[in-house]
Amino acid sequence: MLLPSSNWLRRAPLDHLDLDWLTQANIEVAILRLDQIDPLISGNKWFKLSEHLKAADRAGAKGIISLGGGHSNHLHALAAAGKRFGFPTVGLLRGHPQDTPTVKDLQAFGMQLHWLGYGGYRARHEPGFWQPWQAQYPELQPVPEGGGGLPGAKGCMPLKAMVSAQLSGLGWNDYDGWWLACGTGTTLAGLVLAEAGEHRVYGALAVPDDHGVAQQVQGIVQEAGSVDAGYELLDASRGGFAKVDPPLLEFIEQTERDSGIPLEPLYTGKALLALKQQVDAGKFTQGTRLIFIHTGGLQGRRGFSPAT
Ligand SMILES: *Cc1c(COP(=O)(O)O)cnc(C)c1O
């Protein structure tokens, strides 16, 4: 078994997020700290993996093979899970051998790495891509890039119950919606499925419009036989995925100073700044209560800042 039979789905803490611009607008935000579920495993990538791991268990697989880049939060969570629970992992990497902090962790966690080059990596959606890998690693179950698809979304559905169970601790009896960063939209799709229209889900897009996030969310929700409703996507990409600008970095620094909560510039920093812009623009009425998801990704920011 890849997963121990009980107690592996860690509860992420839910805390008040106290920031001037929220207080002034009379908007309340609670932050769900997926960056704090475990010393080794962090973020939404762990939840996205959980149903893939269960499926691998059902299929009798002994371990997992998956793919990503040299800063991949997904491969990091997978390698960490393999290390923690004692199953073998193989990572197929984009590009040529690199020594990023992420790659060093993957190796330290015992993940077997193969570098595919850029052309080889682009072939990942072609039929037959997995065949030679499955021949080489017959006991490992392939998991798609980023842990996406319907299983990835299903793995994020328990976040709703995790929040509901902690509302009274905040002095809240309900909330109005979720706010989170989106890359593929898989995590958001999981919340849309869990909520089934009960609370609105706002997705702050870390990627430009042409990445087809809306279609991917729609595809997952339809595959689950649910209704494609109750969510809204907003651009938060600031000119492109992983594009960073001085106002964003200043905002992150200021927020970290004021709240003590670490953010990274690709997802969580952009998502929170986009929320501030919408709050400043008057999108939410006074008294609105939102759940902001800290989706993790802090391990990846080491590649962007020499100081950490
Ligand atoms: C991958 C990732 C996301 C995006 O998740 P999707 O399910 O692809 O939308 C958001 N935040 C962080 C930190 C991530 O690593």
Side-chain angles (χ1 to χ4, degrees), residues 150-174:
L150 181 56
K154 280 189 170 163
C156 297
M157 291 178 71
L159 296 179
K160 177 176 157 70
M162 194 177 287
V163 158
S164 299
Q166 296 182 77
L167 285 178
S168 64
L170 297 176
W172 292 14
N173 49 15
D174 202 1

Side-chain angles (χ1 to χ4, degrees), residues 193-269:
L193 292 178
E195 289 287 359
E198 201 182 326
H199 300 101
R200 212 163 167 74
V201 188
Y202 298 95
L205 292 174
V207 296
D209 269 357
D210 60 4
H211 277 227
V213 175
Q215 292 88 319
Q216 292 191 72
V217 173
Q218 201 179 18
I220 290 174
V221 172
Q222 283 173 359
E223 190 183 341
S226 189
V227 278
D228 186 24
Y231 69 94
E232 184 177 331
L233 301 175
L234 305 96
D235 179 42
S237 70
R238 305 182 71 80
F241 179 64
K243 283 229 172 92
V244 167
D245 56 87
L248 171 68
L249 295 177
E250 266 161 49
F251 172 76
I252 290 174
E253 235 182 85
Q254 178 78 41
T255 305
E256 290 183 341
R257 233 179 293 131
D258 293 348
S259 67
I261 296 170
L263 300 171
E264 48 66 57
L266 272 51
Y267 294 104
T268 50

